[in-house]
Every structure is written in C-alpha cells, then in structure tokens.
Amino acid sequence: HRDKKRDKEKVKEKEKAKEKEKERDRDKEKERDRDRDKERERERNKERNRDKDKEKDRGREKERNKDREIVRDKDRDGDKEKDKDREKDKDKEKEKDREEVDQNKEKDDVEKEGEKDREKIKDKEGDKDKEKDRDKEKEKDEDKEKEREKERDDKKKKEKRSRTPPRSYSSSRRSRSSSR
C-alpha cells in the first residue's frame, strides 16, 4: 500500500515538475516575443529616422543648388565683361600681328632679291664645276667599259681553251678506241 502511495506522489511530483517546465517555457517564449517586438520597433524607428534624414538632406541639397545657381549667374555676368575685354585685346593683338607680318614681308622681299643675285653668281661658277665633274665621270665610265671588254675577251679565250681538249689527250683516246 505504501508503495502505491509513493508511486502516486512521485507521479504527482513529476507532473508538477512538467507543469513548471511548461510554464518556464511559456515565459521564455513570451520574453522572446517581447524582445522580437522591441527589435522590430527599433528597426521601424531607425527606418523613420533614415527617411527624415534623407528628407533633410534633400532640402539642404536644394538650398545648395539654389546658392550655386545664384553664384553661377553672377559669374556669367562677370564672364561676359571679361569676354568683351578679351575680344578687344585679341583685336589689338591681331592688328599688331598684321603690321609685323607686313614688315617681315618687306624684309623677306629685300633678302630674296639679294639671294637671287648671289645664286645667279653661284650658278655661273657651279656650271663650270659641273662640266669638269661630268668630264671626269665620262672618263671613269670609259675606263670601266674598257676593263669590262677586256674581261669578256679573256673569258671567251678561256672558254675556247677549255672546250678543245689538248691534242695529245684526244689522239691517245683515238688510238685506244680503235684497238678495242
């Protein structure tokens, strides 16, 4: 009888322990859910803050762009005046360049005249030198031609000699062939 009681008590204790375990599990689950909810809320807040920051950045960027345009407009006005000044300076420079070119042309013309005269004199002297050079060239060519002709003649003589065998050789061949 006592054993049965003990067994029942043990069973009850086990059930209580299981119940406590289940309760602990439920509490843990609730805690996890709360933590998840908090984390989600934090993420939402971060997202909202990012959106607000982006909105602020856009506003600042618009302001900067307006400021830049104002500065650009001022610069353009200043640039127009500078461009006018530059154009005037360029025109003055062009005029100076034209005058310089005219002066240089005159100098060049005078120098060319002098050079032409000098060249005429040189040409006369050069023609004489060229004639001498031509004569020398002709003599050299003639010498070379004579040399070549001599070489050709020598070759022909050698070829004739090589074609006709010496007499003694040919006669000995004849005698051998007849004896056979």
Side-chain angles (χ1 to χ4, degrees):
H1 211 64
R2 283 184 195 153
D3 288 344
K4 281 184 180 179
K5 268 189 177 177
R6 263 192 234 134
D7 286 346
K8 279 184 181 177
E9 281 176 15
K10 280 184 183 175
V11 168
K12 279 184 184 176
E13 281 178 22
K14 280 183 183 176
E15 283 177 5
K16 280 183 186 175
K18 280 183 183 177
E19 196 60 40
K20 279 184 181 177
E21 187 75 28
K22 282 182 183 177
E23 209 162 301
R24 263 191 240 125
D25 287 348
R26 278 187 222 118
D27 289 346
K28 281 182 184 175
E29 190 63 36
K30 283 179 185 175
E31 190 66 32
R32 278 190 213 121
D33 287 345
R34 273 189 233 117
D35 288 348
R36 280 189 206 127
D37 289 345
K38 283 180 185 175
E39 188 61 34
R40 284 185 195 131
E41 190 60 33
R42 270 193 224 118
E43 284 298 318
R44 281 190 211 115
N45 286 337
K46 281 183 187 175
E47 197 63 37
R48 279 188 217 114
N49 288 338
R50 277 190 211 121
D51 290 344
K52 285 179 187 174
D53 288 346
K54 283 180 184 174
E55 205 49 49
K56 284 180 187 173
D57 286 346
R58 283 188 204 120
R60 285 189 203 123
E61 191 62 31
K62 282 181 184 176
E63 284 297 315
R64 279 192 214 119
N65 285 338
K66 282 181 186 174
D67 292 345
R68 282 188 201 133
E69 281 192 31
I70 291 169
V71 170
R72 267 191 226 126
D73 290 344
K74 287 180 183 174
D75 285 349
R76 277 189 207 125
D77 293 342
D79 285 349
K80 285 179 184 174
E81 297 215 4
K82 286 179 187 172
D83 287 344
K84 286 179 186 175
D85 292 344
R86 279 192 209 119
E87 283 298 317
K88 286 180 185 174
D89 289 345
K90 281 183 184 175
D91 290 342
K92 287 179 184 175
E93 282 293 317
K94 283 181 184 174
E95 190 59 37
K96 283 181 185 176
D97 288 347
R98 280 190 205 115
E99 289 174 9
E100 245 179 75
V101 167
D102 290 344
Q103 288 174 355
N104 287 340
K105 270 188 185 176
E106 288 175 19
K107 284 180 185 175
D108 286 349
D109 289 346
V110 170
E111 286 176 13
K112 281 181 185 174
E113 288 290 323
E115 235 175 84
K116 282 181 184 173
D117 293 344
R118 277 186 234 118
E119 281 182 22
K120 282 180 185 174
I121 294 168
K122 280 184 186 175
D123 285 347
K124 286 178 184 175
E125 291 170 4
D127 288 345
K128 291 175 186 173
D129 291 343
K130 283 180 186 173
E131 281 181 33
K132 288 178 186 175
D133 288 346
R134 277 192 219 120
D135 291 344
K136 285 180 186 175
E137 284 293 317
K138 278 183 186 175
E139 284 178 30
K140 283 182 188 175
D141 288 345
E142 286 172 8
D143 289 347
K144 283 182 185 175
E145 191 60 36
K146 285 177 185 174
E147 190 100 4
R148 282 191 205 119
E149 281 180 28
K150 207 182 239 186
E151 285 176 15
R152 271 189 232 122
D153 291 346
D154 289 349
K155 275 186 184 176
K156 283 180 185 175
K157 285 177 186 173
K158 281 182 185 176
E159 281 180 27
K160 275 185 182 177
R161 274 189 227 131
S162 66
R163 268 190 249 137
T164 56
R167 285 198 183 115
S168 60
Y169 175 77
S170 64
S171 62
S172 64
R173 291 273 282 185
R174 273 190 227 115
S175 64
R176 261 193 254 135
S177 64
S178 62
S179 65
R180 285 185 202 150

